Coordinates of all heavy atoms in Angstrom, one line a residue:
M19 N 24.0 183.2 -110.3 CA 25.4 183.0 -109.8 C 26.1 184.3 -110.0 O 26.0 185.0 -111.0 CB 26.1 181.9 -110.5 CG 25.8 180.5 -110.0 SD 26.8 179.3 -110.8 CE 25.6 178.7 -112.0
R20 N 27.0 184.6 -109.0 CA 27.8 185.7 -109.1 C 29.3 185.3 -109.2 O 29.7 184.3 -108.6 CB 27.6 186.6 -107.9 CG 26.2 187.1 -107.8 CD 26.0 187.9 -106.6 NE 26.8 189.1 -106.6 CZ 26.8 190.1 -105.8 NH1 25.9 190.0 -104.8 NH2 27.6 191.1 -105.8
G21 N 30.1 186.1 -109.9 CA 31.5 185.7 -110.0 C 32.3 187.0 -109.8 O 31.8 188.1 -109.8
R22 N 33.6 186.8 -109.8 CA 34.5 187.9 -109.7 C 35.9 187.5 -110.2 O 36.2 186.3 -110.2 CB 34.6 188.5 -108.3 CG 35.2 187.6 -107.3 CD 35.3 188.3 -105.9 NE 36.0 187.4 -105.0 CZ 36.5 187.8 -103.9 NH1 36.4 189.0 -103.5 NH2 37.2 187.0 -103.1
K23 N 36.7 188.4 -110.5 CA 38.0 188.1 -111.0 C 38.9 187.8 -109.8 O 38.9 188.6 -108.8 CB 38.6 189.2 -111.8 CG 37.9 189.3 -113.2 CD 38.6 190.3 -114.1 CE 37.9 190.3 -115.4 NZ 38.6 191.1 -116.4
M24 N 39.8 186.8 -109.9 CA 40.7 186.4 -108.8 C 42.0 186.0 -109.5 O 42.1 185.6 -110.6 CB 40.1 185.3 -108.0 CG 38.8 185.6 -107.3 SD 38.2 184.2 -106.3 CE 39.5 184.2 -105.0
L25 N 43.1 186.2 -108.7 CA 44.4 185.8 -109.1 C 44.6 184.4 -108.7 O 44.5 184.0 -107.5 CB 45.4 186.7 -108.4 CG 46.9 186.6 -109.0 CD1 46.9 187.0 -110.4 CD2 47.8 187.5 -108.1
V26 N 44.8 183.5 -109.7 CA 45.0 182.0 -109.4 C 46.3 181.6 -110.1 O 46.4 181.7 -111.3 CB 43.8 181.2 -109.9 CG1 44.0 179.7 -109.7 CG2 42.5 181.7 -109.3
H27 N 47.3 181.1 -109.3 CA 48.5 180.7 -109.8 C 49.2 181.8 -110.7 O 49.7 181.5 -111.8 CB 48.4 179.4 -110.6 CG 47.9 178.3 -109.8 ND1 48.6 177.7 -108.7 CD2 46.7 177.6 -109.8 CE1 47.9 176.8 -108.2 NE2 46.7 176.7 -108.8
G28 N 49.1 183.0 -110.3 CA 49.8 184.1 -111.0 C 49.0 184.7 -112.2 O 49.5 185.6 -112.8
R29 N 47.8 184.1 -112.5 CA 47.0 184.6 -113.6 C 45.6 185.0 -113.1 O 45.1 184.4 -112.2 CB 46.9 183.6 -114.7 CG 48.2 183.2 -115.3 CD 48.1 182.3 -116.5 NE 47.3 182.9 -117.6 CZ 47.0 182.2 -118.6 NH1 47.3 181.0 -118.8 NH2 46.3 182.8 -119.6
E30 N 45.1 186.0 -113.8 CA 43.7 186.5 -113.4 C 42.7 185.7 -114.1 O 42.7 185.5 -115.3 CB 43.6 188.0 -113.7 CG 42.4 188.5 -113.0 CD 42.3 190.1 -113.2 OE1 41.9 190.5 -114.2 OE2 42.8 190.7 -112.2
Y31 N 41.7 185.2 -113.4 CA 40.6 184.4 -113.9 C 39.3 184.9 -113.4 O 39.2 185.5 -112.3 CB 40.7 182.9 -113.5 CG 41.8 182.2 -114.1 CD1 43.1 182.1 -113.5 CD2 41.7 181.5 -115.4 CE1 44.1 181.4 -114.0 CE2 42.8 180.8 -115.9 CZ 44.0 180.8 -115.3 OH 45.0 180.1 -115.8
F32 N 38.2 184.8 -114.2 CA 36.9 185.1 -113.7 C 36.4 183.8 -113.0 O 36.3 182.7 -113.6 CB 35.9 185.4 -114.8 CG 34.6 185.8 -114.4 CD1 34.4 187.1 -113.8 CD2 33.5 185.0 -114.5 CE1 33.1 187.5 -113.4 CE2 32.2 185.4 -114.1 CZ 32.0 186.6 -113.5
C33 N 36.1 183.9 -111.7 CA 35.7 182.7 -110.9 C 34.3 182.8 -110.5 O 33.8 183.8 -110.1 CB 36.6 182.6 -109.7 SG 38.4 182.4 -110.1
V34 N 33.6 181.6 -110.5 CA 32.3 181.5 -110.1 C 32.2 180.3 -109.1 O 32.7 179.3 -109.3 CB 31.3 181.1 -111.3 CG1 29.9 180.9 -110.7 CG2 31.3 182.2 -112.3
V35 N 31.7 180.6 -107.9 CA 31.6 179.6 -106.9 C 30.1 179.1 -106.9 O 29.2 179.9 -106.8 CB 31.9 180.1 -105.5 CG1 31.7 179.1 -104.4 CG2 33.4 180.6 -105.5
K36 N 30.0 177.8 -106.9 CA 28.6 177.2 -106.9 C 28.6 176.1 -105.8 O 29.5 175.3 -105.7 CB 28.3 176.5 -108.3 CG 27.0 175.9 -108.4 CD 26.7 175.2 -109.7 CE 25.4 174.5 -109.6 NZ 25.2 173.6 -110.7
Y37 N 27.5 176.1 -105.1 CA 27.3 175.1 -104.1 C 26.4 174.0 -104.6 O 25.4 174.3 -105.2 CB 26.7 175.7 -102.8 CG 26.3 174.7 -101.8 CD1 27.3 174.2 -101.0 CD2 25.0 174.3 -101.6 CE1 27.0 173.2 -100.0 CE2 24.7 173.3 -100.6 CZ 25.7 172.8 -99.8 OH 25.4 171.9 -98.9
S38 N 26.8 172.8 -104.3 CA 26.0 171.6 -104.7 C 25.8 170.8 -103.5 O 26.7 170.2 -103.0 CB 26.8 170.8 -105.8 OG 26.2 169.6 -106.0
A39 N 24.5 170.7 -103.1 CA 24.2 169.9 -101.9 C 24.6 168.4 -102.1 O 25.1 167.8 -101.2 CB 22.7 170.0 -101.6
S40 N 24.3 167.9 -103.3 CA 24.7 166.5 -103.5 C 26.2 166.2 -103.5 O 26.6 165.2 -102.9 CB 24.1 166.0 -104.9 OG 24.6 166.7 -105.9
F41 N 27.0 167.1 -104.1 CA 28.4 167.0 -104.0 C 28.9 167.1 -102.6 O 29.8 166.4 -102.2 CB 29.1 168.0 -104.9 CG 30.6 167.9 -105.0 CD1 31.1 166.8 -105.6 CD2 31.4 168.9 -104.5 CE1 32.5 166.6 -105.7 CE2 32.8 168.7 -104.5 CZ 33.3 167.6 -105.1
A42 N 28.4 168.1 -101.8 CA 28.8 168.3 -100.4 C 28.5 167.0 -99.6 O 29.3 166.6 -98.8 CB 28.1 169.5 -99.8
G43 N 27.3 166.4 -99.9 CA 27.0 165.1 -99.2 C 27.9 164.0 -99.5 O 28.3 163.2 -98.7
E44 N 28.3 163.9 -100.8 CA 29.3 162.9 -101.2 C 30.7 163.1 -100.5 O 31.3 162.2 -100.1 CB 29.5 162.9 -102.7 CG 28.3 162.4 -103.5 CD 28.4 162.6 -105.0 OE1 29.6 162.9 -105.5 OE2 27.4 162.5 -105.7
Q45 N 31.1 164.4 -100.5 CA 32.3 164.7 -99.8 C 32.3 164.4 -98.3 O 33.2 163.8 -97.8 CB 32.7 166.2 -100.0 CG 33.2 166.5 -101.3 CD 33.6 168.0 -101.4 OE1 32.9 168.9 -100.9 NE2 34.7 168.2 -102.0
L46 N 31.2 164.7 -97.7 CA 31.0 164.4 -96.3 C 31.0 162.9 -96.0 O 31.7 162.4 -95.1 CB 29.7 165.0 -95.7 CG 29.4 164.8 -94.2 CD1 30.5 165.3 -93.4 CD2 28.1 165.4 -93.9
Q47 N 30.4 162.1 -96.9 CA 30.4 160.7 -96.7 C 31.8 160.1 -96.9 O 32.2 159.2 -96.1 CB 29.5 160.0 -97.8 CG 29.5 158.5 -97.8 CD 28.9 157.9 -96.5 OE1 28.0 158.5 -95.9 NE2 29.5 156.8 -96.1
S48 N 32.5 160.7 -97.8 CA 33.9 160.2 -98.1 C 34.8 160.5 -96.9 O 35.6 159.6 -96.4 CB 34.5 160.9 -99.3 OG 35.8 160.6 -99.5
V49 N 34.7 161.7 -96.3 CA 35.5 162.1 -95.2 C 35.1 161.2 -94.0 O 36.0 160.7 -93.2 CB 35.4 163.6 -94.9 CG1 36.0 163.9 -93.5 CG2 36.1 164.4 -96.0
T50 N 33.8 161.0 -93.8 CA 33.3 160.2 -92.6 C 33.9 158.8 -92.7 O 34.3 158.2 -91.7 CB 31.8 160.2 -92.6 OG1 31.3 161.6 -92.5 CG2 31.3 159.4 -91.5
T51 N 33.8 158.2 -93.9 CA 34.4 156.9 -94.1 C 35.8 156.8 -93.8 O 36.3 155.9 -93.1 CB 34.1 156.4 -95.6 OG1 32.7 156.4 -95.8 CG2 34.7 155.0 -95.8
S52 N 36.6 157.8 -94.3 CA 38.0 157.8 -94.0 C 38.4 157.9 -92.5 O 39.2 157.3 -92.0 CB 38.7 159.0 -94.8 OG 38.6 158.8 -96.2
V53 N 37.6 158.8 -91.8 CA 37.8 159.0 -90.4 C 37.5 157.7 -89.7 O 38.3 157.3 -88.8 CB 37.0 160.1 -89.8 CG1 36.9 160.1 -88.3 CG2 37.5 161.5 -90.3
S54 N 36.5 157.0 -90.0 CA 36.1 155.8 -89.4 C 37.2 154.7 -89.6 O 37.5 154.0 -88.6 CB 34.8 155.3 -90.0 OG 34.4 154.1 -89.4
K55 N 37.7 154.6 -90.8 CA 38.8 153.6 -91.1 C 40.0 153.9 -90.2 O 40.6 153.0 -89.6 CB 39.1 153.6 -92.5 CG 38.2 153.0 -93.4 CD 38.6 153.0 -94.9 CE 37.6 152.4 -95.8 NZ 38.1 152.4 -97.2
V56 N 40.4 155.2 -90.2 CA 41.7 155.5 -89.4 C 41.4 155.3 -87.9 O 42.3 154.7 -87.3 CB 42.1 157.0 -89.7 CG1 43.2 157.4 -88.8 CG2 42.5 157.2 -91.2
L57 N 40.3 155.6 -87.4 CA 40.0 155.4 -86.0 C 40.0 153.9 -85.7 O 40.5 153.4 -84.7 CB 38.7 156.0 -85.6 CG 38.7 157.5 -85.5 CD1 37.3 158.0 -85.2 CD2 39.7 158.1 -84.5
Q58 N 39.5 153.1 -86.6 CA 39.5 151.6 -86.5 C 41.0 151.1 -86.5 O 41.3 150.3 -85.6 CB 38.7 150.9 -87.6 CG 38.6 149.5 -87.5 CD 37.8 148.8 -88.6 OE1 37.6 149.4 -89.6 NE2 37.4 147.6 -88.4
Y59 N 41.8 151.6 -87.4 CA 43.2 151.2 -87.4 C 43.9 151.6 -86.1 O 44.7 150.8 -85.6 CB 44.0 151.9 -88.5 CG 43.5 151.5 -89.9 CD1 43.7 152.5 -91.0 CD2 42.9 150.3 -90.2 CE1 43.3 152.1 -92.3 CE2 42.5 150.0 -91.5 CZ 42.7 150.9 -92.5 OH 42.3 150.6 -93.8
L60 N 43.6 152.8 -85.6 CA 44.2 153.2 -84.3 C 43.8 152.3 -83.1 O 44.6 152.0 -82.3 CB 43.9 154.7 -84.0 CG 44.6 155.7 -84.9 CD1 44.0 157.1 -84.7 CD2 46.1 155.7 -84.7
R61 N 42.5 152.0 -83.1 CA 42.0 151.1 -82.0 C 42.7 149.7 -82.1 O 43.2 149.2 -81.1 CB 40.5 150.9 -82.1 CG 39.7 152.0 -81.5 CD 38.2 151.7 -81.4 NE 37.6 151.5 -82.7 CZ 37.1 152.4 -83.5 NH1 37.1 153.7 -83.0 NH2 36.5 152.2 -84.6
R62 N 42.9 149.2 -83.3 CA 43.6 147.9 -83.5 C 45.0 148.0 -83.1 O 45.5 147.1 -82.4 CB 43.5 147.4 -84.9 CG 42.3 146.5 -85.2 CD 42.5 145.8 -86.5 NE 41.3 145.9 -87.2 CZ 41.1 146.1 -88.5 NH1 42.1 146.4 -89.3 NH2 39.9 146.1 -89.0
L63 N 45.7 149.1 -83.4 CA 47.1 149.3 -83.1 C 47.2 149.3 -81.5 O 48.1 148.7 -81.0 CB 47.6 150.6 -83.7 CG 49.0 150.9 -83.3 CD1 50.0 149.9 -83.8 CD2 49.4 152.3 -83.9
S64 N 46.3 150.0 -80.9 CA 46.3 150.1 -79.4 C 46.2 148.8 -78.8 O 46.9 148.4 -77.8 CB 45.2 151.1 -79.0 OG 45.3 151.2 -77.6
V65 N 45.3 147.9 -79.3 CA 45.2 146.6 -78.8 C 46.4 145.8 -79.0 O 47.0 145.1 -78.2 CB 43.9 145.9 -79.4 CG1 43.9 144.4 -79.1 CG2 42.7 146.5 -79.0
D66 N 47.0 145.9 -80.3 CA 48.2 145.2 -80.6 C 49.4 145.6 -79.7 O 50.2 144.8 -79.3 CB 48.6 145.4 -82.1 CG 47.7 144.6 -83.0 OD1 46.9 143.8 -82.6 OD2 47.7 144.9 -84.2
L67 N 49.5 146.9 -79.4 CA 50.6 147.4 -78.6 C 50.5 146.9 -77.1 O 51.5 146.8 -76.4 CB 50.6 148.9 -78.6 CG 51.1 149.5 -80.0 CD1 50.9 151.0 -79.9 CD2 52.5 149.1 -80.3
S68 N 49.3 146.6 -76.7 CA 49.1 146.1 -75.3 C 49.4 144.7 -75.1 O 49.5 144.2 -74.0 CB 47.6 146.4 -74.9 OG 46.7 145.6 -75.6
K69 N 49.6 144.0 -76.2 CA 50.0 142.5 -76.1 C 51.4 142.4 -75.6 O 52.3 143.2 -76.0 CB 49.8 141.8 -77.5 CG 48.4 141.8 -77.9 CD 48.2 141.1 -79.2 CE 46.8 141.1 -79.7 NZ 46.6 140.5 -81.0
P70 N 51.7 141.4 -74.8 CA 53.1 141.2 -74.3 C 54.2 141.0 -75.3 O 55.3 141.4 -75.1 CB 53.0 139.9 -73.4 CG 51.5 139.7 -73.2 CD 50.8 140.4 -74.3
K71 N 53.8 140.5 -76.5 CA 54.9 140.2 -77.5 C 55.0 141.4 -78.5 O 55.8 141.3 -79.5 CB 54.5 139.0 -78.3 CG 54.6 137.7 -77.4 CD 54.4 136.5 -78.2 CE 54.6 135.3 -77.3 NZ 54.5 134.0 -78.0
A72 N 54.4 142.5 -78.2 CA 54.5 143.7 -79.1 C 56.0 144.2 -79.0 O 56.5 144.5 -78.0 CB 53.6 144.8 -78.7
R73 N 56.6 144.3 -80.2 CA 58.0 144.7 -80.2 C 58.3 145.8 -81.3 O 59.1 145.6 -82.2 CB 58.9 143.5 -80.5 CG 58.9 142.4 -79.5 CD 59.7 142.8 -78.2 NE 59.6 141.8 -77.3 CZ 58.9 141.8 -76.1 NH1 58.2 142.8 -75.8 NH2 59.0 140.8 -75.3
W74 N 57.5 146.8 -81.3 CA 57.7 147.9 -82.3 C 58.4 149.1 -81.6 O 58.2 149.4 -80.5 CB 56.3 148.4 -82.8 CG 55.6 147.3 -83.6 CD1 56.1 146.2 -84.2 CD2 54.2 147.3 -83.8 NE1 55.1 145.5 -84.8 CE2 54.0 146.1 -84.6 CE3 53.1 148.1 -83.5 CZ2 52.7 145.8 -85.1 CZ3 51.9 147.8 -84.0 CH2 51.7 146.6 -84.7
T75 N 59.2 149.7 -82.4 CA 59.9 150.9 -81.9 C 58.9 152.1 -82.1 O 57.9 152.1 -82.8 CB 61.1 151.3 -82.8 OG1 60.7 151.6 -84.1 CG2 62.1 150.1 -82.8
E76 N 59.2 153.2 -81.3 CA 58.4 154.4 -81.4 C 58.3 154.9 -82.9 O 57.3 155.3 -83.4 CB 58.9 155.4 -80.5 CG 58.1 156.7 -80.5 CD 58.6 157.8 -79.6 OE1 59.4 157.5 -78.7 OE2 58.1 158.9 -79.7
T77 N 59.5 154.9 -83.5 CA 59.5 155.3 -84.9 C 58.6 154.5 -85.8 O 57.9 155.0 -86.7 CB 61.0 155.3 -85.4 OG1 61.8 156.1 -84.6 CG2 61.1 155.8 -86.9
Q78 N 58.6 153.2 -85.7 CA 57.8 152.3 -86.5 C 56.3 152.6 -86.2 O 55.5 152.7 -87.2 CB 58.0 150.8 -86.1 CG 59.4 150.3 -86.6 CD 59.7 148.9 -86.1 OE1 59.4 148.6 -84.9 NE2 60.2 148.1 -87.0
I79 N 56.0 152.9 -85.0 CA 54.6 153.2 -84.7 C 54.2 154.5 -85.3 O 53.1 154.6 -85.9 CB 54.4 153.2 -83.1 CG1 54.6 151.8 -82.5 CG2 53.0 153.7 -82.8 CD1 54.8 151.8 -81.0
R80 N 55.0 155.5 -85.1 CA 54.7 156.8 -85.6 C 54.6 156.8 -87.1 O 53.7 157.5 -87.7 CB 55.7 157.9 -85.1 CG 55.6 158.2 -83.7 CD 56.4 159.4 -83.2 NE 56.3 159.6 -81.8 CZ 55.3 160.1 -81.1 NH1 54.3 160.6 -81.8 NH2 55.4 160.2 -79.8
N81 N 55.5 156.1 -87.8 CA 55.4 156.0 -89.3 C 54.1 155.3 -89.7 O 53.5 155.8 -90.7 CB 56.6 155.2 -89.8 CG 57.9 156.0 -89.7 OD1 57.9 157.2 -89.6 ND2 59.0 155.3 -89.8
K82 N 53.7 154.3 -89.0 CA 52.5 153.6 -89.4 C 51.3 154.6 -89.3 O 50.4 154.7 -90.1 CB 52.3 152.4 -88.5 CG 51.0 151.6 -88.8 CD 50.9 150.5 -87.8 CE 51.8 149.4 -88.1 NZ 51.3 148.3 -89.0
I83 N 51.3 155.3 -88.2 CA 50.2 156.3 -87.9 C 50.2 157.4 -89.0 O 49.2 157.8 -89.5 CB 50.2 156.8 -86.5 CG1 49.9 155.7 -85.5 CG2 49.2 158.0 -86.3 CD1 50.2 156.1 -84.1
Q84 N 51.4 157.9 -89.3 CA 51.5 159.0 -90.3 C 51.0 158.5 -91.7 O 50.4 159.3 -92.4 CB 53.0 159.5 -90.4 CG 53.4 160.3 -89.2 CD 52.4 161.4 -88.9 OE1 52.0 162.2 -89.7 NE2 52.1 161.5 -87.6
R85 N 51.2 157.3 -92.0 CA 50.7 156.7 -93.3 C 49.2 156.8 -93.3 O 48.5 157.2 -94.2 CB 51.1 155.3 -93.5 CG 52.5 155.2 -94.2 CD 52.7 153.8 -94.7 NE 52.4 152.7 -93.9 CZ 53.1 152.1 -92.9 NH1 54.3 152.6 -92.7 NH2 52.7 151.1 -92.2
W86 N 48.6 156.4 -92.2 CA 47.1 156.5 -92.1 C 46.6 157.9 -92.1 O 45.5 158.2 -92.7 CB 46.6 155.8 -90.8 CG 46.9 154.4 -90.7 CD1 47.1 153.5 -91.7 CD2 47.1 153.6 -89.5 NE1 47.3 152.2 -91.2 CE2 47.4 152.3 -89.8 CE3 47.1 153.9 -88.1 CZ2 47.6 151.3 -88.9 CZ3 47.3 152.9 -87.2 CH2 47.6 151.6 -87.6
L87 N 47.3 158.8 -91.5 CA 46.9 160.2 -91.5 C 47.3 161.0 -92.7 O 46.9 162.2 -92.8 CB 47.5 160.9 -90.2 CG 47.0 160.4 -88.9 CD1 47.7 161.1 -87.8 CD2 45.5 160.4 -88.8
S88 N 47.9 160.4 -93.7 CA 48.3 161.1 -94.9 C 47.2 161.3 -95.9 O 47.3 162.1 -96.8 CB 49.5 160.3 -95.6 OG 49.0 159.1 -96.1
A89 N 46.1 160.6 -95.7 CA 44.9 160.8 -96.6 C 44.4 162.2 -96.3 O 44.6 162.8 -95.3 CB 43.8 159.8 -96.2
Q90 N 43.8 162.7 -97.3 CA 43.3 164.1 -97.3 C 42.5 164.4 -96.1 O 41.6 163.7 -95.8 CB 42.6 164.4 -98.6 CG 42.3 165.9 -98.8 CD 41.6 166.2 -100.1 OE1 41.0 165.3 -100.7 NE2 41.8 167.4 -100.6
F91 N 42.9 165.5 -95.4 CA 42.2 166.0 -94.2 C 42.4 165.2 -92.9 O 42.0 165.7 -91.8 CB 40.7 166.2 -94.4 CG 40.4 167.1 -95.6 CD1 39.6 166.5 -96.6 CD2 40.8 168.4 -95.7 CE1 39.3 167.3 -97.8 CE2 40.5 169.2 -96.8 CZ 39.7 168.6 -97.8
M92 N 42.9 164.0 -93.0 CA 43.0 163.2 -91.8 C 43.8 163.8 -90.7 O 43.4 163.7 -89.5 CB 43.4 161.7 -92.1 CG 42.4 160.9 -93.0 SD 40.8 160.8 -92.2 CE 39.9 162.0 -93.2
A93 N 45.0 164.3 -91.0 CA 45.9 164.9 -90.0 C 45.2 166.1 -89.3 O 45.5 166.4 -88.2 CB 47.2 165.2 -90.6
D94 N 44.3 166.8 -90.1 CA 43.6 167.9 -89.5 C 42.4 167.5 -88.6 O 42.1 168.2 -87.7 CB 43.0 168.8 -90.6 CG 44.1 169.4 -91.5 OD1 45.2 169.8 -90.9 OD2 43.9 169.6 -92.7
L95 N 41.9 166.3 -88.8 CA 40.7 165.8 -88.1 C 41.0 164.9 -87.0 O 40.2 164.8 -86.0 CB 39.8 165.1 -89.1 CG 39.2 166.0 -90.2 CD1 38.4 165.2 -91.2 CD2 38.3 167.1 -89.6
I96 N 42.1 164.1 -87.1 CA 42.4 163.1 -86.1 C 43.8 163.4 -85.4 O 44.8 163.6 -86.1 CB 42.5 161.7 -86.7 CG1 41.1 161.4 -87.3 CG2 42.9 160.7 -85.7 CD1 41.1 160.1 -88.0
H97 N 43.8 163.5 -84.1 CA 45.0 163.7 -83.4 C 45.2 162.5 -82.4 O 44.2 161.9 -82.0 CB 44.9 165.0 -82.6 CG 44.7 166.2 -83.4 ND1 45.7 166.9 -84.0 CD2 43.6 166.8 -83.9 CE1 45.2 167.9 -84.7 NE2 43.9 167.8 -84.7
Y98 N 46.4 162.2 -82.2 CA 46.7 161.0 -81.3 C 47.8 161.3 -80.3 O 48.5 162.3 -80.5 CB 47.1 159.8 -82.2 CG 48.5 159.9 -82.8 CD1 49.6 159.4 -82.2 CD2 48.7 160.6 -84.0 CE1 50.9 159.5 -82.7 CE2 49.9 160.8 -84.5 CZ 51.0 160.2 -83.9 OH 52.3 160.3 -84.5
Q99 N 47.9 160.5 -79.3 CA 48.9 160.6 -78.3 C 49.5 159.2 -78.1 O 48.8 158.2 -77.9 CB 48.2 161.1 -77.0 CG 49.1 161.3 -75.9 CD 48.4 161.8 -74.7 OE1 47.3 162.5 -74.8 NE2 48.9 161.6 -73.5
L100 N 50.8 159.2 -78.1 CA 51.5 157.9 -77.9 C 52.2 158.0 -76.6 O 52.9 158.9 -76.2 CB 52.6 157.8 -79.0 CG 53.2 156.4 -79.2 CD1 52.2 155.3 -79.4 CD2 54.2 156.4 -80.3
E101 N 51.8 157.0 -75.7 CA 52.3 157.0 -74.3 C 53.1 155.7 -74.1 O 52.7 154.7 -74.7 CB 51.2 157.1 -73.3 CG 50.4 158.3 -73.4 CD 49.2 158.3 -72.5 OE1 49.1 157.4 -71.6 OE2 48.3 159.1 -72.6
L102 N 54.0 155.7 -73.2 CA 54.7 154.5 -72.8 C 54.3 154.2 -71.3 O 54.5 155.0 -70.4 CB 56.2 154.7 -72.8 CG 57.1 153.4 -72.7 CD1 56.8 152.5 -73.9 CD2 58.5 153.8 -72.7
K103 N 53.6 153.0 -71.1 CA 53.1 152.6 -69.8 C 53.7 151.2 -69.5 O 53.5 150.3 -70.2 CB 51.6 152.6 -69.8 CG 50.9 153.9 -69.8 CD 49.4 153.8 -69.6 CE 48.8 155.2 -69.7 NZ 47.4 155.1 -69.5
D104 N 54.5 151.2 -68.4 CA 55.1 149.9 -68.0 C 55.9 149.3 -69.2 O 55.9 148.1 -69.4 CB 54.0 148.9 -67.5 CG 53.3 149.4 -66.3 OD1 53.9 150.1 -65.5 OD2 52.1 149.1 -66.2
G105 N 56.6 150.2 -69.9 CA 57.4 149.7 -71.0 C 56.6 149.3 -72.3 O 57.2 148.7 -73.2
I106 N 55.3 149.5 -72.3 CA 54.5 149.2 -73.4 C 53.9 150.4 -74.0 O 53.4 151.3 -73.3 CB 53.3 148.2 -73.0 CG1 53.9 146.9 -72.4 CG2 52.4 147.9 -74.1 CD1 52.9 146.1 -71.7
G107 N 53.9 150.5 -75.4 CA 53.4 151.6 -76.1 C 51.8 151.6 -76.1 O 51.3 150.5 -76.3
I108 N 51.2 152.7 -75.8 CA 49.8 152.8 -75.9 C 49.4 154.0 -76.8 O 50.0 155.1 -76.7 CB 49.2 153.1 -74.5 CG1 49.6 152.1 -73.5 CG2 47.7 153.3 -74.5 CD1 49.1 150.7 -73.7
C109 N 48.5 153.8 -77.7 CA 48.1 154.8 -78.7 C 46.7 155.2 -78.4 O 45.8 154.3 -78.4 CB 48.3 154.3 -80.1 SG 47.8 155.5 -81.3
N110 N 46.5 156.5 -78.2 CA 45.1 157.0 -78.0 C 44.8 158.1 -79.0 O 45.6 158.9 -79.2 CB 45.0 157.6 -76.6 CG 45.2 156.6 -75.5 OD1 44.6 155.5 -75.5 ND2 46.1 156.9 -74.6
S111 N 43.6 158.0 -79.6 CA 43.2 159.1 -80.5 C 42.5 160.1 -79.6 O 41.8 159.8 -78.6 CB 42.3 158.6 -81.6 OG 41.2 157.9 -81.0
I112 N 42.7 161.4 -79.9 CA 42.1 162.5 -79.1 C 41.5 163.5 -80.0 O 41.7 163.5 -81.1 CB 43.2 163.1 -78.2 CG1 44.4 163.5 -78.9 CG2 43.5 162.3 -77.0 CD1 45.5 164.2 -78.1

């Protein structure tokens, strides 16, 4: 392993970077699970918004989506588009 001195939070430290395949695999699994959950929530929301009795404001919808995207990396990985069609909100992930 090789290391070097780096400035971290205003102090100099000797830093060593190590790659762990098992840790990377765990991280990938965690991110994949989170993405899958958020996409599932967005699909359900889209179905709910298409129902005739859906009465949510744009702000309520955006707040709900922002909560889902607040998990680490989600806002970087998932983008959505909110459209109004025939007076009904439609949410699409892109």
Side-chain angles (χ1 to χ4, degrees):
M19 275 186 259
R20 296 177 62 173
R22 68 178 187 164
K23 289 188 177 190
M24 296 181 71
L25 193 61
V26 180
H27 300 293
R29 294 184 64 186
E30 192 173 84
Y31 292 91
F32 185 75
C33 298
V34 177
V35 175
K36 180 183 176 193
Y37 174 77
S38 166
S40 63
F41 183 67
E44 289 172 16
Q45 286 184 314
L46 181 59
Q47 177 63 37
S48 175
V49 169
T50 301
T51 299
S52 295
V53 167
S54 179
K55 284 181 183 180
V56 172
L57 290 177
Q58 183 179 18
Y59 296 153
L60 288 170
R61 279 191 296 271
R62 266 195 225 137
L63 177 62
S64 184
V65 168
D66 289 346
L67 290 174
S68 67
K69 293 179 181 175
K71 293 185 179 185
R73 299 284 182 252
W74 293 342
T75 66
E76 180 180 345
T77 301
Q78 289 172 320
I79 296 167
R80 290 192 186 278
N81 287 341
K82 182 182 286 268
I83 294 170
Q84 288 308 314
R85 274 195 316 274
W86 296 333
L87 296 180
S88 68
Q90 192 173 25
F91 305 119
M92 291 304 103
D94 296 325
L95 298 173
I96 299 174
H97 301 272
Y98 71 95
Q99 180 177 337
L100 192 60
E101 300 176 12
L102 192 63
K103 290 186 178 180
D104 299 328
I106 298 170
I108 304 294
C109 178
N110 298 308
S111 55
I112 48 178

